[in-house]
Amino acid sequence: MMNLIYEGKAKKIYESNDSNEVIVWFKDDTTAFNGEKKDIINEKGRVNLLFTRYFFRLLESEGIKTHLLDFIDEKSFKAQKVNIIPVEVVIRNYAAGSICKRLGFEKGERFNLPLCEFYLKDDNLKDPLIYKSQIKYKYEITDEELDIIESAALRINSIMSFYLCEKNITLVDFKLEFGKNKNGEIILADEISPDTCRFWKKGTTESLDKDVYREEKGDLLSSYKELAQILGVYDEV
């Protein structure tokens, strides 16, 4: 039996036979509002793995390095073992969610340039907003490394936004995590799925992401599967 290294809200990380690799297993658990709302939705883990496969392959084809190595089964993949940088990077193209509550933006308001924000990855503190200058005081990370992370996040945004626009999907905002591999290289880690992004049907604010669950706007899995059909995610299996 594999040893569990870490368990988060949506995934479990297990040891692999290779000390430089881990197994990432997707759960069916669904949470919102820092875990205050919780449910188990059958198949969600499988579908999110398919989205992660889809988006990671897209990004890798454009030269973005990820921790992905190989897929094991319908709910898990093998990845490079990385030391996760405990900061979530959020790129916003349109106003939605917390930024509307914090700063009074109107939902759907478009930013002239993508907005990059950093959040401390700490459930006990409810993942607060943190400035780049503060990150350096809390963690051993340099200005150059933070610039690498921000640059990579904005490049990922450019790739995904262009691609999704052609599919009549608007990339509203999304969350990324990065980690350092055994060579000290900063690479994209975690996942990219409707759990970590906001996707709207082009020209509308109709959600095909976890806001369906947060705001009780319908059946979450049906919305994820609709997005998968639009993008051709199932064709990549």
Side-chain angles (χ1 to χ4, degrees):
M1 187 172 179
M2 296 182 295
N3 290 325
L4 180 66
I5 300 173
Y6 170 81
E7 181 172 1
K9 296 185 185 78
K11 293 179 294 298
K12 292 181 179 181
I13 311 297
Y14 292 95
E15 287 182 347
S16 174
N17 293 329
D18 187 323
S19 61
N20 293 313
E21 299 175 356
V22 294
I23 306 299
V24 181
W25 189 80
F26 284 68
K27 300 161 62 176
D28 287 335
D29 297 46
T30 305
T31 64
F33 312 118
N34 291 307
E36 293 177 13
K37 183 178 181 180
K38 300 178 184 178
D39 284 289
I40 294 176
I41 299 177
N42 292 334
E43 284 195 78
K44 193 194 74 127
R46 179 184 69 83
V47 174
N48 275 350
L49 175 61
L50 292 178
F51 276 110
T52 297
R53 178 206 300 257
Y54 180 83
F55 285 118
F56 276 21
R57 281 179 171 170
L58 169 66
L59 294 172
E60 287 172 347
S61 74
E62 296 288 340
I64 300 294
K65 294 184 178 180
T66 79
H67 70 157
L68 172 64
L69 291 174
D70 194 15
F71 290 87
I72 298 170
D73 55 38
E74 64 178 13
K75 292 186 72 172
S76 61
F77 68 84
K78 186 181 295 184
Q80 291 184 56
K81 188 175 186 178
V82 297
N83 290 319
I84 288 288
I85 297 165
V87 174
E88 297 176 344
V89 186
V90 173
I91 300 292
R92 299 183 185 275
N93 298 306
Y94 294 82
S98 65
I99 198 167
C100 296
K101 297 175 183 177
R102 285 189 287 114
L103 300 177
F105 286 107
E106 292 292 328
K107 182 177 179 179
E109 185 175 342
R110 183 178 181 180
F111 299 118
N112 291 331
L113 293 173
L115 177 63
C116 182
E117 296 180 327
F118 297 89
Y119 292 81
L120 183 64
K121 190 174 167 62
D122 190 319
D123 288 342
N124 293 328
L125 296 175
K126 298 187 177 180
D127 302 332
L129 186 69
I130 187 170
Y131 297 105
K132 289 171 73 174
S133 57
Q134 296 170 324
I135 296 170
K136 294 185 298 178
Y137 283 102
K138 192 164 181 63
Y139 302 109
E140 292 183 4
I141 190 167
T142 66
D143 285 324
E144 181 182 6
E145 289 172 331
L146 285 172
D147 287 344
I148 289 171
I149 290 169
E150 184 171 5
S151 177
L154 290 170
R155 167 88 172 124
I156 290 165
N157 180 58
S158 178
I159 294 166
M160 289 181 57
S161 293
F162 179 80
Y163 181 80
L164 289 164
C165 184
E166 293 189 324
K167 301 284 188 177
N168 292 317
I169 296 294
T170 299
L171 180 59
V172 179
D173 59 35
F174 61 101
K175 173 184 73 69
L176 300 173
E177 293 187 26
F178 293 85
K180 288 185 181 180
N181 64 13
K182 64 178 181 180
N183 300 318
E185 185 178 21
I186 294 173
I187 60 176
L188 179 64
D190 195 44
E191 67 175 293
I192 297 180
S193 75
D195 268 16
T196 62
C197 307
R198 280 190 175 91
F199 301 110
W200 290 346
K201 290 185 178 179
K202 193 172 182 179
T204 77
T205 58
E206 183 179 345
S207 302
L208 294 173
D209 54 65
K210 200 162 74 169
D211 274 354
V212 172
Y213 174 75
R214 291 187 187 98
E215 300 171 14
E216 299 183 353
K217 296 190 290 188
D219 180 71
L220 181 73
L221 192 64
S222 295
S223 296
Y224 282 22
K225 287 184 174 181
E226 181 180 355
L227 178 64
Q229 292 286 357
I230 292 170
L231 299 183
V233 168
Y234 296 131
D235 298 337
E236 299 292 321
V237 179

